[in-house]
Amino acid sequence: MAALAASLLAPMPAHAIDQKMLSQIKRLAPRDQLEQRCDTEGMAKVKGDKVIAYTFADPRYRKAHIDAPGAVFRRKGEWYRLSYSCTTSPDHVDVVRFDYKIGSRVPREEWEQYQLYD
């Protein structure tokens, strides 16, 4: 399957999070806040129900930015490779920029190896 690319260069509002989710994110360490906020944004962008930033490669973090070249997401019971770059506000509440590229479907026989699940 050829890789599908999507870039969000046009101004678009970031996915809003509700107060319950915001409260949960605020309880995390700053790096985890960043990752969770960006994973949440990723779920909205790819219309998935789960995003994991570190499945195929370790993310690279800065204070309000994460590059996740080895991410994965689940949609309709299937897992797909994903790479994303995400910048948040300093408090990790607002997503300022989110660029991503969807990769190939992860074959079911590889799920156990990468700790993926239904």
Side-chain angles (χ1 to χ4, degrees):
M1 174 177 179
L4 303 174
S7 181
L8 304 174
L9 300 177
M12 298 179 81
H15 175 69
I17 56 175
D18 62 27
Q19 287 296 8
K20 181 179 178 184
M21 183 178 293
L22 178 59
S23 174
Q24 292 172 344
I25 287 174
K26 284 298 184 186
R27 292 184 195 144
L28 301 172
R31 187 171 115 170
D32 294 331
Q33 290 175 359
L34 172 64
E35 184 176 311
Q36 288 301 310
R37 183 61 185 99
C38 289
D39 285 355
T40 301
E41 184 71 15
M43 286 188 294
K45 298 297 186 193
V46 301
K47 296 177 178 54
D49 63 357
K50 183 71 176 165
V51 169
I52 303 171
Y54 50 82
T55 300
F56 297 106
D58 291 334
R60 293 179 302 279
Y61 301 91
R62 284 176 264 151
K63 286 188 179 202
H65 184 85
I66 180 174
D67 287 312
V72 67
F73 76 95
R74 185 178 61 197
R75 179 172 53 202
K76 297 182 181 178
E78 295 291 337
W79 288 95
Y80 297 87
R81 290 179 178 262
L82 175 69
S83 64
Y84 72 78
S85 177
C86 175
T87 303
T88 68
S89 57
D91 63 0
H92 308 302
V93 171
D94 298 311
V95 173
V96 177
R97 184 177 177 128
F98 191 91
D99 299 304
Y100 65 98
K101 181 179 177 184
I102 296 174
S104 61
R105 186 179 59 79
V106 179
R108 197 168 281 267
E109 57 270 11
E110 294 178 12
W111 287 15
E112 186 175 341
Q113 173 186 355
Y114 295 108
Q115 300 178 335
L116 302 175
Y117 50 87
D118 285 323

